[in-house]
Amino acid sequence: GTGVDFAVDSDVFIHEFGHYITHNAIDYNGSQIAFSPQYGLSPWSGGIDEGISDYFACTINNNQLLGEASLADYSRDLSDVSKTCPEGVVGEVHEDGEIIGSLGWSVRQAFGAQVADQLVWGAITLLNQGSSLGDFARGLQATAEDLVGSGLLTSQDLQTLDALIKQ
C-alpha cells in the first residue's frame, strides 16, 4: 500500500500465507457469509481462519504480537485473553479471530510450540464450512485425546486444555 509496506512485516506475510495453506488443505472458511443449517448466518469459520492465521504467524515468529511493525493500532496481541465467547463475538472476522488466536497462544504457553501447533492444526482439520467457535474447541479436545493416546499429552493435560477453553 501507499501508507505501509507490509513486505517488511513477516507477521502479515505469514498470516496471509496461512490463509492460502488452510484454504487449499482444508477449505473450512465460509467467510462472512457462511450459512449453517443450525445457526443461519455464521461468520465464525471466517473468525477461526483469521485467528488461526494469526496464531501460526506468531508461533513461527515465536512472538505473541502480530503486525507490530506494520499494523499500528490494528496489531493484535495473542497473549490478551480479555475477549471471550459469546460476549466478545461481534461478527467481524478479525475481531472474532482474536478469541481463537489468543486461545491458540494460551495452548502454546501451556504445552509448548510443538504440541500446540499439532493441537491447533489437528483441530482445524476437523472443521468444515460453517463451523462454529465451539467446533474449533471440540476439535482441540479431540486432537488432544489423540495426543494422549500417542503419549504426547496426559489426562491431566486434557484438564488443562479444558480450563483454557473455558477461560
Side-chain angles (χ1 to χ4, degrees), residues 15-25 53:
H15 169 98
E16 297 305 330
F17 190 66
H19 290 309
Y20 173 80
I21 297 292
T22 60
H23 172 75
N24 285 289
S53 291

Side-chain angles (χ1 to χ4, degrees), residues 123-164:
I124 63 172
T125 65
L126 300 173
L127 301 179
N128 53 42
Q129 295 221 358
S131 291
S132 69
L133 302 182
D135 292 330
F136 175 74
R138 285 184 286 283
L140 283 174
Q141 292 166 322
T143 304
E145 289 173 10
D146 288 345
L147 294 181
V148 168
S150 67
L152 288 174
L153 292 176
T154 66
S155 57
Q156 179 63 41
D157 292 331
L158 294 178
Q159 293 174 356
T160 300
L161 177 62
D162 289 343
L164 292 172

Side-chain angles (χ1 to χ4, degrees), residues 2-3 6 15-16 18 35-39 55 68 81 88 90 96 120 126 129 136 154 160 162 164:
T2 58
F6 291 114
H15 169 98
E16 297 305 330
F35 184 82
S36 161
Q38 183 178 3
Y39 300 114
Y55 171 78
E68 70 275 16
V81 294
V90 297
D96 294 348
V120 170
L126 300 173
Q129 295 221 358
F136 175 74
T154 66
T160 300
D162 289 343
L164 292 172

Side-chain angles (χ1 to χ4, degrees):
T2 58
V4 177
D5 184 357
F6 291 114
V8 300
D9 190 348
S10 66
D11 291 344
V12 174
F13 172 81
I14 296 168
H15 169 98
E16 297 305 330
F17 190 66
H19 290 309
Y20 173 80
I21 297 292
T22 60
H23 172 75
N24 285 289
I26 304 162
D27 195 24
Y28 63 87
N29 181 5
S31 76
Q32 292 275 39
I33 56 170
F35 184 82
S36 161
Q38 183 178 3
Y39 300 114
L41 184 63
S42 55
W44 302 303
S45 63
I48 295 166
D49 197 45
E50 290 299 332
I52 293 306
S53 291
D54 286 355
Y55 171 78
F56 279 113
C58 288
T59 194
I60 287 168
N61 284 333
N62 196 31
N63 179 346
Q64 81 276 5
L65 300 174
L66 178 96
E68 70 275 16
S70 62
L71 297 178
D73 292 340
Y74 299 102
S75 65
R76 295 184 280 277
D77 182 352
L78 273 58
S79 67
D80 179 0
V81 294
S82 62
K83 288 189 177 180
T84 60
C85 181
E87 295 83 10
V89 176
V90 297
E92 197 286 319
V93 293
H94 296 90
E95 290 189 37
D96 294 348
E98 291 180 48
I99 296 168
I100 296 299
S102 67
L103 174 57
W105 196 261
S106 295
V107 169
R108 187 182 193 273
Q109 289 177 309
F111 303 116
Q114 181 182 6
V115 170
D117 291 355
Q118 288 181 58
L119 286 168
V120 170
W121 182 258
I124 63 172
T125 65
L126 300 173
L127 301 179
N128 53 42
Q129 295 221 358
S131 291
S132 69
L133 302 182
D135 292 330
F136 175 74
R138 285 184 286 283
L140 283 174
Q141 292 166 322
T143 304
E145 289 173 10
D146 288 345
L147 294 181
V148 168
S150 67
L152 288 174
L153 292 176
T154 66
S155 57
Q156 179 63 41
D157 292 331
L158 294 178
Q159 293 174 356
T160 300
L161 177 62
D162 289 343
L164 292 172
I165 291 168
K166 186 175 179 180
Q167 177 189 2

